[in-house]
Amino acid sequence: KNFIQQLRTSKRILQVKISDFRKNPPIFVYSMPKSGTSTIWMTLGELTSNNIYKLHRLSDEGLMLSREKRKTKKMRKLIDITSVSFLVREKIDQNPDVCWQIVTSTREPVAQAISELFQGIGTHHPYLLTDKETVNVDKVIQFLQNKLSTFDEHEEPEKSWYSMVWFDWELNPLFDVDVYSQPYRHDQGYMIFQNSRARVLLVRAEDLNRSFNAALKEFLNRSGSIEMRQANLASNKEYREEQKFYDAYRYVKSHFKVPYEVCEKIYSTKYARHFYTEEERASFIKKWSSSTPVTKLHESALVEGALE
């Protein structure tokens, strides 16, 4: 499996090096991890002859963080896929007058955090596995609870939650696209931004089934129906490493809970308030919280009941 991955990565690196990004600009699927990027990438690959690159970090800060992660002993043995990101960034800098085509996406925070943890869990978090190379779900749940309970929107992103500030750290500095500059179109399910640096299609992972067809037709100026290529842990053979952990992933998604106050803090962030309606955020809080706070009204009712 590692050998096949190395061949694919080497091919990608060579492709970037020999490609003329000015004459044939690629399409970047550039977004936070585990927000529908593989589905978007595979679907685009069926629709266009452009080279399609799936990327998560291109900013100076993002590439620096990637470089630090590559210094770990296990990752040094491999040709890391982040090498592609470094090369793509060089090409972008060399062609400042190209208007880049970008598809980016979002996902509700807690679901994204769980899914991202399971992506490559054996490589990045081997301490969460048992001696038999299966997932220790109790350790995973504890790890996630610790991560989320200490979340602070104003902390350094890598110390808290990089995905929550992804648009401010990645897309805006590099392509001058501020997704927060106008209200998100929840009714439409996607938005398209354009300036001299980039044309960007933004879609929520939760809206892919509902809106991706219309979004891509507008973005690519195509007519007719577009078949979305599903890519996920359960069904796609590309994810055999993750598939063996899929039952554990489903278990964690079903059983993971954090205190109500933590959920409330997560879904009160600028990111959550912008991309999700008040009703949606309330639904997420209800889904992931372990308890409901006792309001003053409830407290009064409890006291009255006790007195009776």
Side-chain angles (χ1 to χ4, degrees):
K1 180 178 179 293
N2 285 337
F3 177 71
I4 293 173
Q5 287 180 338
Q6 295 301 280
L7 286 178
R8 288 175 177 165
T9 302
S10 299
K11 178 182 177 181
R12 211 50 147 172
I13 289 171
L14 179 61
Q15 184 184 65
V16 176
K17 286 183 175 181
I18 66 175
S19 295
D20 189 332
F21 276 28
R22 177 178 294 274
K23 289 183 179 179
N24 300 294
I27 297 177
F28 300 141
V29 179
Y30 176 43
S31 66
M32 66 187 69
K34 308 312 295 180
S35 59
T37 48
S38 293
T39 292
I40 293 169
W41 176 63
M42 292 175 64
T43 301
L44 283 169
E46 298 288 325
L47 298 175
T48 177
S49 59
N50 298 63
N51 286 327
I52 314 293
Y53 295 103
K54 184 170 64 171
L55 308 156
H56 298 308
R57 296 182 177 185
L58 288 173
S59 68
D60 293 339
E61 294 85 355
L63 292 176
M64 180 180 67
L65 293 172
S66 295
R67 186 180 287 115
E68 289 300 314
K69 286 190 174 184
R70 287 203 301 171
K71 291 179 181 179
T72 63
K73 184 177 180 181
K74 194 164 187 176
M75 296 302 290
R76 267 204 309 268
K77 297 177 182 177
L78 304 177
I79 303 173
D80 193 0
I81 191 65
T82 56
S83 300
V84 175
S85 298
F86 284 92
L87 291 171
V88 168
R89 173 61 191 272
E90 287 181 11
K91 293 272 190 173
I92 291 172
D93 291 342
Q94 292 166 4
N95 295 279
D97 55 340
V98 171
C99 183
W100 307 99
Q101 292 191 83
I102 299 169
V103 181
T104 190
S105 54
T106 73
R107 188 177 182 183
E108 69 97 342
V110 176
Q112 189 275 336
I114 296 173
S115 187
E116 183 177 3
L117 177 64
F118 273 85
Q119 178 73 42
I121 189 172
T123 300
H124 302 293
H125 304 283
Y127 47 87
L128 297 178
L129 303 183
T130 68
D131 294 338
K132 296 181 179 180
E133 294 295 304
T134 59
V135 175
N136 186 318
V137 292
D138 292 332
K139 283 187 177 181
V140 167
I141 289 175
Q142 186 63 55
F143 177 88
L144 286 166
Q145 287 174 337
N146 292 339
K147 174 183 173 70
L148 272 60
S149 64
T150 58
F151 169 72
D152 185 342
E153 186 176 12
H154 306 292
E155 277 278 357
E156 287 293 324
E158 190 65 7
K159 293 179 181 178
S160 56
W161 205 333
Y162 190 76
S163 297
M164 295 281 277
V165 293
W166 190 91
F167 290 103
D168 286 331
W169 268 54
E170 291 288 338
L171 190 66
N172 195 13
L174 204 54
F175 298 103
D176 197 27
V177 174
D178 181 6
V179 299
Y180 299 107
S181 63
Q182 51 187 296
Y184 184 73
R185 290 288 305 276
H186 302 100
D187 57 335
Q188 180 174 268
Y190 69 93
M191 293 184 69
I192 294 177
F193 302 84
Q194 183 158 2
N195 58 31
S196 60
R197 291 283 291 144
R199 186 166 183 261
V200 179
L201 167 62
L202 166 63
V203 62
R204 303 189 313 180
E206 295 83 5
D207 290 325
L208 284 175
N209 288 328
R210 175 172 72 96
S211 304
F212 198 43
N213 193 301
L216 275 187
K217 284 198 291 186
E218 181 177 348
F219 186 69
L220 299 175
N221 193 25
R222 292 175 62 101
S223 59
S225 180
I226 292 174
E227 182 181 354
M228 187 169 67
R229 292 286 304 276
Q230 291 286 351
N232 55 55
L233 297 180
S235 61
N236 196 291
K237 292 181 181 180
E238 296 287 325
Y239 290 87
R240 286 181 180 173
E241 174 70 16
E242 286 77 13
Q243 279 185 346
K244 70 178 183 180
F245 301 138
Y246 188 64
D247 287 342
Y249 170 68
R250 290 176 60 191
Y251 178 90
V252 171
K253 281 188 67 178
S254 299
H255 292 79
F256 178 72
K257 301 289 182 183
V258 291
Y260 182 94
E261 291 73 17
V262 173
C263 268
E264 196 172 41
K265 184 168 65 172
I266 291 169
Y267 291 101
S268 296
T269 57
K270 178 179 77 169
Y271 170 84
R273 286 185 285 106
H274 182 77
F275 288 110
Y276 299 94
T277 66
E278 184 176 353
E279 293 77 12
E280 287 171 329
R281 286 185 281 117
S283 175
F284 294 142
I285 291 173
K286 181 179 179 181
K287 176 180 180 179
W288 299 116
S289 64
S290 56
S291 61
T292 302
V294 178
T295 64
K296 291 183 178 180
L297 179 61
H298 289 149
E299 287 174 351
S300 299
L302 288 171
V303 171
E304 290 174 3
L307 292 174
E308 289 176 358

